Amino acid sequence: MPGSPDGPSVPELQDGPTGHDSGLLAFVEVWNDLQVLSTPEHHRTMALWLEGQWQAGNCQLLMMAFRNAGKSTLIGLFAAWLLRCDPVRRLLVLSADHNLARRMVRNVKRIIERHPRTADLKPAEVDEWAADRFTVNRERELRDPSMLAKGISANITGSRADVVICDDVEVPNTCDTPGKRDGLRARLDEIQYVLVPGGTCLFIGTPHTRYSIYDAGPAGGTAEPYLAGFQRFELPLLNSAGASAWPEKFPVAQIETIRRRTGPAKFQSQMMLRPLSVVDGRLDAERLIPYDGELRFRESGGEADLRIADKRLVSASCWWDPAYGSPHHGDASVIACVFTDEDGNYRLHAIEYLTHDPAAVERISEATQQCRKVVAFARRYHQPAVTIEKNGIGRFLPGLLRQELTLARLPIAVREESAKRSKDLRIVDAFDAALAANQLFVHQSVMNTPFRHEIEEWRSGANVADDGLDAVAGCLLNEPVRLPRHPDIKQPERPADWRRGIPQFKAAHDFSP
């Protein structure tokens, strides 16, 4: 039963083979009443679709709905209802990791314990009743539990299931590179050896890549969609008329806030169910807003103040993506700093492509030369902390940088981060929302560096320079630091705080010291 931009078509509520009172929707409404919750209209639609497909004997199902639509909650109730209808059934939940699968199984277990219509399913003598696997009262003795949780990378050889639920198997960690996407498909192919003849396979999730397993068209060089032949349910957040699918939780104002904060690419993927294509490029250099003006620091009334022109700065993020920094070839070693002003705008104020002097290597190592340049950069731009991407040569740099900061008498924090996602997705996530919202201001000095060329030429998967983009992406994605500013060694010992805080005052007292 294909979906449409306005949502899937579903049968009208009526007595079916199970009867109205014993149907899935009634089961859901009884549970919601018990929880003192109403049943959203889109949950009614989803429940009717699931029961209709089940009664029609369709055993290949795909349910896609916008993020936070309550998909997993409803599927948990569906699983409990299936066990209520036939306690002999065996259900296997596969997710991107074991903890996610375990969360669904634990939820179903609690439903069975508390739902008025499943009270007889909990065994009197608890033999197998855990958060990641449990067995209900059933007449037959079977090797597999009633419900079992597994991560997608776990070994499922030898398991047997009447229903396999693939709950969010596609997430960034399982699909952000071609190798991971191939591995995900290979693991999912094992399901056919687990399902009994005539068993049901149900996928639920949202697309996280242009080459999504949920895509309705060919992708990634395949001849047909991965889930070709599956009955599809698609419920985007907005229908073709622009109306919200869940207006009580997602009114228009809230939807616009989500769109602005996440950026158009992620919004289309996660909320509108359209597979993301980073190749289409969201790095529009024309949306960069250039500005002039230097940092201006002052102290007044016991409070420090850092500004660019008339805009007060409230936080900062500094990211160093290290490399060998050869003057002529190889990856560039780049450090960048981004401030957040009082209006919530990002200000990319400085970027430096670090190199070392090969002639001085015998006296001062390449790493030490670079660390000293980072110290000078952090001092010049009043940075409270420096984050180092410690992949590759960055593994031994944090300790060396701390030594150089100590020698310079600068109390600047050093953070260590490992990049766990592909560079392309990090860059898109960092720049997409800021550019779309016209919130990325760039100092004129930065516009005169290779950064401008990088953002104009960048394409996902292309062999182009992107070291500056990666450093700035680190700044944008990294949590901004709201720490006291760190003064030069010539400034007073006690550092002043350039973020606005509580004014200082001296209280009168009548007690002796």
Side-chain angles (χ1 to χ4, degrees):
M1 191 176 300
S4 70
D6 295 319
S9 57
V10 295
E12 295 295 328
L13 180 61
Q14 57 185 357
D15 291 352
T18 57
H20 172 72
D21 290 337
S22 59
L24 175 59
L25 180 57
F27 187 85
V28 170
E29 290 179 331
V30 168
W31 175 255
N32 286 339
D33 288 343
L34 186 66
Q35 304 298 310
V36 195
L37 296 171
S38 61
T39 303
E41 187 60 33
H42 71 284
H43 277 199
R44 293 173 55 86
T45 303
M46 294 161 75
L48 288 172
W49 183 83
L50 280 169
E51 184 177 1
Q53 295 296 324
W54 183 263
Q55 298 300 341
N58 295 324
C59 56
Q60 293 183 314
L61 309 175
L62 167 61
M63 174 173 283
M64 289 200 298
F66 56 91
R67 286 282 294 273
N68 295 320
K71 299 183 295 295
S72 296
T73 299
L74 189 68
I75 294 301
L77 287 161
F78 177 58
W81 177 74
L82 290 178
L83 290 173
R84 178 205 176 227
C85 294
D86 185 359
V88 178
R89 287 195 178 107
R90 297 158 295 177
L91 284 70
L92 172 64
V93 179
L94 294 177
S95 296
D97 59 58
H98 179 262
N99 286 335
L100 187 59
R102 180 178 181 270
R103 189 162 59 184
M104 173 172 282
V105 172
R106 181 182 59 193
N107 183 49
V108 175
K109 182 173 75 76
R110 289 177 176 174
I111 293 171
I112 289 175
E113 291 172 339
R114 301 173 186 178
H115 199 293
R117 299 187 180 180
T118 56
D120 58 336
L121 290 182
K122 184 177 178 180
E125 297 182 4
V126 178
D127 178 30
E128 194 170 49
W129 200 254
D132 60 351
R133 58 188 298 148
F134 65 83
T135 300
V136 301
N137 275 329
R138 58 189 183 187
E139 296 178 355
R140 294 171 56 188
E141 184 64 36
L142 300 172
R143 182 183 61 181
D144 296 284
S146 297
M147 197 165 191
L148 174 66
K150 288 285 187 179
I152 190 63
S153 61
N155 181 18
I156 58 175
T157 302
S159 298
R160 292 293 179 269
D162 301 283
V163 179
V164 175
I165 299 173
C166 296
D167 178 27
D168 279 332
V169 291
E170 180 180 286
V171 297
N173 285 342
T174 61
C175 70
D176 60 0
T177 66
K180 289 181 180 180
R181 291 193 290 271
D182 290 343
L184 174 61
R185 286 165 169 76
R187 299 300 301 177
L188 293 175
D189 289 344
E190 293 293 314
I191 292 175
Q192 61 183 316
Y193 301 110
V194 173
L195 272 177
V196 300
T200 297
C201 183
L202 168 63
F203 281 80
I204 56 174
T206 54
H208 283 268
T209 171
R210 171 63 185 91
Y211 306 112
S212 174
I213 59 173
Y214 310 126
D215 195 356
T222 60
E224 61 180 15
Y226 182 74
L227 299 181
F230 275 61
Q231 300 298 313
R232 300 173 65 91
F233 176 105
E234 298 182 17
L235 185 66
L237 178 57
L238 297 172
N239 64 17
S240 58
S244 172
W246 195 356
E248 296 84 2
K249 185 174 181 179
F250 293 97
V252 174
Q254 176 68 12
I255 292 172
E256 290 308 310
T257 298
I258 296 172
R259 193 199 306 269
R260 184 177 66 254
R261 290 181 177 176
T262 63
K266 183 169 285 188
F267 183 84
Q268 289 296 318
S269 173
Q270 298 292 283
M271 308 307 285
M272 298 302 293
L273 313 179
R274 297 170 185 168
L276 167 70
S277 175
V278 296
V279 177
D280 292 340
R282 306 288 173 174
L283 307 187
D284 184 359
E286 296 303 317
R287 286 187 172 271
L288 297 175
I289 305 174
Y291 70 93
D292 283 316
E294 299 306 316
L295 290 175
R296 182 165 53 87
F297 172 78
R298 67 180 181 182
E299 292 182 65
S300 176
E303 186 177 80
D305 186 82
L306 189 63
R307 293 176 181 266
I308 297 175
D310 63 336
K311 292 297 181 182
R312 190 177 189 281
L313 307 177
V314 297
S315 64
S317 181
C318 182
W319 186 278
W320 180 19
D321 182 11
Y324 284 110
S326 171
H328 306 295
H329 58 82
D331 292 339
S333 182
V334 184
I335 185 170
C337 68
V338 173
F339 292 99
T340 306
D341 65 27
E342 57 192 344
D343 295 331
N345 296 314
Y346 299 107
R347 291 184 176 268
L348 172 54
H349 193 73
I351 189 170
E352 187 171 341
Y353 291 74
L354 306 175
T355 59
H356 69 274
D357 181 2
V361 168
E362 291 187 3
R363 295 181 293 106
I364 309 173
S365 69
E366 302 114 286
T368 301
Q369 290 185 47
Q370 289 196 47
C371 283
R372 290 179 179 177
K373 290 186 176 183
V374 169
V375 169
F377 182 94
R379 184 207 307 264
R380 186 182 315 123
Y381 298 111
H382 304 273
Q383 292 301 302
V386 175
T387 302
I388 301 177
E389 185 176 333
K390 63 178 183 179
N391 297 350
I393 70 164
R395 295 181 182 277
F396 66 90
L397 287 174
L400 184 57
L401 179 58
R402 290 187 181 99
Q403 292 178 19
E404 292 299 323
L405 288 168
T406 300
L407 291 173
R409 297 174 59 190
L410 291 174
I412 296 175
V414 176
R415 293 176 163 184
E416 304 173 35
E417 291 287 343
S418 296
K420 299 178 181 178
R421 302 182 62 199
S422 72
K423 183 185 291 188
D424 287 350
L425 287 180
R426 290 202 313 271
I427 290 174
V428 169
D429 283 351
F431 283 92
D432 194 34
L435 289 174
N438 294 320
Q439 288 185 310
L440 184 54
F441 291 71
V442 181
H443 194 270
Q444 195 61 53
S445 64
V446 176
M447 300 292 278
N448 296 328
T449 69
F451 170 80
R452 174 64 185 258
H453 179 74
E454 289 182 17
I455 199 169
E456 290 176 338
E457 298 298 321
W458 183 83
R459 290 292 181 274
S460 175
N463 186 21
V464 295
D466 58 7
D467 299 302
L469 285 175
D470 197 22
V472 176
C475 292
L476 294 171
L477 293 175
N478 199 30
E479 182 178 357
V481 179
R482 295 173 177 261
L483 296 176
R485 76 165 186 90
H486 302 292
D488 297 330
I489 57 176
K490 295 180 181 179
Q491 293 177 328
E493 270 189 20
R494 182 175 179 177
D497 189 348
W498 52 261
R499 62 183 177 89
R500 188 169 301 281
I502 300 174
Q504 298 180 4
F505 65 96
K506 184 178 292 186
H509 62 84
D510 57 0
F511 57 86
S512 300

